[in-house]
Amino acid sequence: MKEKEILEGVKTRLGIEELNEMQKEMMGKASEGRDIILLSPTGSGKTLAFTLPVLKMMKPSTGRIQCVVIAPSRELVIQIAGVMREAGKLFRIVALYGGHSVEDEVNSLKVTPDIVVATPGRLLDHSVRHNLELLPVRMLVLDEFDKTLELGFEEEMGKLMKRMKNVSRIILTSATKADVLPEFLKLDNPITVDYSSNTGEVRGRMNIQKVLTNNNDKLEGLLTLLHNINSGKDALEKAMIFVNHRESAERVYEFLRKNKVAAVLYHGALEQKDRETALALFNSGSRPILVATDLAARGLDIEKVRSVIHYHQPLTEESFVHRNGRTARVDEEGDVYLLVGPDEELKEFVNADGDFVLDNGKKADLSQKFMTLYISGGKREKLSRGDILGFLVKECDVPPTDIGKINVFDHYSLVAVKEDKVAKLLNVAEGKKLKGEKRRIRTLTK
């Protein structure tokens, strides 16, 4: 694909006027014919950085898979596929991941894609079942390769590499360096493109503060902190609260919901649809407070997070870096808070700029201003964001300014609407057709 076409697509469909230094360098590396190891901090535009050389090396559709991108999580696969589809409209791109309808995936593979983005296990399963042929693959990208090659993935990766014998270009990406690379990758004199030192630049836009709580339970301290940082503001700012265990995430979430906080829960034990919904609620602003395990610390496409709150101190320095990387992304500033009990010491790798003193007198409205509606139809039913927006504006008489983010998934859609408009909308929408069909429309109460 020609560089001019790629840049035009990036500008018109992704809204990026100019590539950053790392993205420009990666685009240039496409013509060098060597494997690439890209090291870059979270939030630096890494997905687009490896997408650019891939698109530049792509040939016109051949009816065979040319490139495979492997990522360690479902969410990361979805994010990567979304970026690649926008930047590379000329190519057929398919996402394969667990928790997703296998039947839908098999149908999507009936016309051979040019690029496959997948988790290791799901890709291997489709290959074993002969749903796709991996032998023609020329390019392989391992995103977050330090995670992809961890115990549990390495065996699957070894089997996949045996099925991709014609791979001639490999791109590995991560925010952190790996000490050893598995021999089965057979890297050919790789170039290392290292922007990991840019973490210092991100740190400069980040204010990290220690918050001393009155007891080791921290729940009341957390609630007071949320009141403090939102006091006097017109709308809740996005905040991510990190805990170390799923059980703790459930407990913190239940406490916040009982106190009428617009919070949502995210961890690995949730069903895929519930995880998708949680991120949609958070990103749309319907629930601006996300309570999560470290699963949410990397690889998610989350916009404009103002605050990261460590309810529990992270277990490793790597986790500390990745959690903090959810805020102060690109050129934005962000705040990081470390909730510390009276008997707790800061870990050696945790560095704070100062103390934040809780003020019990400051209060804020922590309830939701937007509600999210569920619509029983998605991409597979040929629904688009434009279809839904048009229906709400023209058929339901909702002003565009009262409609927030619209997410369209395979078989359902979610749309954020100002809370005071929802009752009337549901009443008006009853019995009306959306793109020729009556759709179930309801509020999400979870």
Side-chain angles (χ1 to χ4, degrees):
M1 191 172 176
K2 293 181 180 178
E3 190 169 317
K4 184 179 179 182
E5 291 176 317
I6 297 170
L7 294 177
E8 284 176 358
V10 167
K11 183 177 180 179
T12 56
R13 289 187 289 275
L14 291 173
I16 298 173
E17 294 290 333
E18 186 176 356
L19 302 180
N20 63 30
E21 183 182 348
M22 174 183 66
Q23 291 162 349
K24 289 176 182 175
E25 183 173 353
M26 285 294 288
M27 175 78 95
K29 297 297 182 188
S31 56
E32 293 194 20
R34 290 168 63 187
D35 296 330
I36 303 170
I37 299 175
L38 172 62
L39 302 173
S40 175
T42 302
S44 59
K46 181 159 51 68
T47 300
L48 183 58
F50 71 70
T51 294
L52 295 170
V54 165
L55 293 179
K56 193 173 177 181
M57 291 185 285
M58 289 288 289
K59 297 176 181 178
S61 293
T62 61
R64 295 181 175 186
I65 301 172
Q66 297 184 55
C67 176
V68 165
V69 182
I70 295 177
S73 71
R74 306 164 183 173
E75 289 78 8
L76 192 49
V77 165
I78 294 166
Q79 178 195 324
I80 293 167
V83 171
M84 297 190 93
R85 283 182 183 125
E86 292 301 317
K89 281 287 187 181
L90 296 177
F91 301 107
R92 178 171 169 75
I93 299 164
V94 168
L96 309 173
Y97 52 91
H100 190 219
S101 167
V102 175
E103 184 180 351
D104 284 347
E105 290 186 350
V106 171
N107 288 335
S108 71
L109 293 169
K110 285 180 179 177
V111 178
T112 304
D114 302 293
I115 299 173
V116 170
V117 187
T119 51
R122 196 59 161 234
L123 182 63
L124 182 60
D125 184 61
H126 280 294
S127 179
V128 169
R129 294 173 185 270
H130 304 290
N131 295 329
L132 77 171
E133 177 54 68
L134 295 177
L135 195 59
V137 175
R138 297 183 296 109
M139 290 178 280
L140 173 65
V141 179
L142 297 188
D143 193 30
E144 303 284 7
F145 71 85
D146 54 328
K147 282 288 182 186
T148 309
L149 298 177
E150 279 182 354
L151 185 66
F153 282 134
E154 191 160 339
E155 184 180 349
E156 292 171 342
M157 286 303 309
K159 291 177 180 178
L160 283 168
M161 290 305 296
K162 290 178 181 177
R163 293 169 177 268
M164 293 187 283
K165 295 179 180 178
N166 291 314
V167 167
S168 57
R169 294 293 297 277
I170 296 176
I171 300 175
L172 306 181
T173 86
S174 181
T176 51
K177 295 179 181 179
D179 296 329
V180 180
L181 295 175
E183 290 184 10
F184 61 69
L185 286 176
K186 297 177 182 176
L187 295 181
D188 180 22
N189 188 25
I191 309 165
T192 298
V193 178
D194 191 351
Y195 283 79
S196 58
S197 60
N198 286 9
T199 51
E201 182 185 319
V202 176
R203 179 66 179 86
R205 302 195 306 271
M206 192 182 292
N207 185 25
I208 301 179
Q209 298 181 79
K210 174 184 173 182
V211 184
L212 186 62
T213 60
N214 290 330
N215 56 61
N216 289 316
D217 188 25
K218 302 182 186 177
L219 285 173
E220 291 296 340
L222 171 63
L223 184 59
T224 302
L225 176 62
L226 290 173
H227 277 291
N228 285 190
I229 63 181
N230 286 288
S231 179
K233 293 175 181 172
D234 295 332
L236 278 178
E237 293 185 333
K238 281 185 187 171
M240 297 182 72
I241 302 166
F242 283 103
V243 299
N244 289 343
H245 310 287
R246 294 169 182 171
E247 295 78 9
S248 302
E250 299 272 358
R251 181 167 170 268
V252 171
Y253 167 73
E254 292 296 341
F255 171 81
L256 293 178
R257 292 300 286 166
K258 284 178 183 175
N259 284 276
K260 296 181 169 48
V261 178
V264 68
L265 177 68
Y266 184 88
H267 60 64
L270 297 174
E271 295 292 330
Q272 173 63 18
K273 186 175 180 180
D274 292 333
R275 282 158 62 175
E276 288 177 349
T277 300
L279 292 180
L281 288 168
F282 182 59
N283 258 333
S284 71
S286 293
R287 305 273 185 89
I289 312 297
L290 183 74
V291 182
T293 58
D294 280 340
L295 181 66
R298 56 199 280 171
L300 298 182
D301 186 16
I302 296 174
E303 304 166 354
K304 300 186 181 303
V305 176
R306 177 66 203 191
S307 303
V308 165
I309 300 171
H310 298 271
Y311 184 84
H312 293 141
Q313 290 188 62
L315 300 175
T316 65
E317 183 174 7
E318 181 185 9
S319 176
F320 186 57
V321 171
H322 283 296
R323 286 182 181 185
N324 293 347
R326 295 291 92 199
T327 190
R329 295 169 75 86
V330 193
D331 296 321
E332 297 172 355
E333 295 183 347
D335 296 308
V336 175
Y337 301 95
L338 291 143
L339 287 174
V340 180
D343 302 325
E344 191 177 0
E345 295 290 334
L346 286 182
K347 296 192 175 182
E348 290 181 3
F349 55 78
V350 172
N351 53 336
D353 299 319
D355 294 337
F356 184 96
V357 180
L358 294 173
D359 183 348
N360 290 313
K362 284 187 175 181
K363 297 295 180 183
D365 182 0
L366 301 177
S367 62
Q368 61 197 61
K369 303 299 181 292
F370 275 79
M371 291 187 73
T372 293
L373 299 181
Y374 170 96
I375 299 174
S376 62
K379 294 173 186 174
R380 300 289 175 179
E381 289 73 38
K382 308 298 183 186
L383 278 187
S384 68
R385 291 186 182 92
D387 295 328
I388 294 169
L389 180 62
F391 173 77
L392 296 177
V393 172
K394 295 175 184 176
E395 299 294 328
C396 303
D397 198 28
V398 181
T401 52
D402 291 339
I403 300 170
K405 194 157 188 173
I406 299 172
N407 293 92
V408 182
F409 299 97
D410 280 348
H411 293 291
Y412 70 99
S413 302
L414 301 175
V415 53
V417 178
K418 282 190 177 175
E419 193 172 27
D420 59 357
K421 304 293 181 182
V422 170
K424 180 184 175 183
L425 184 159
L426 292 175
N427 186 52
V428 173
E430 190 172 353
K432 291 192 174 180
K433 292 182 178 181
L434 170 52
K435 205 168 184 181
E437 296 283 343
K438 289 183 181 180
R439 312 281 179 187
R440 211 157 34 92
I441 304 176
R442 61 174 173 82
T443 57
L444 281 181
T445 55
K446 195 171 181 180

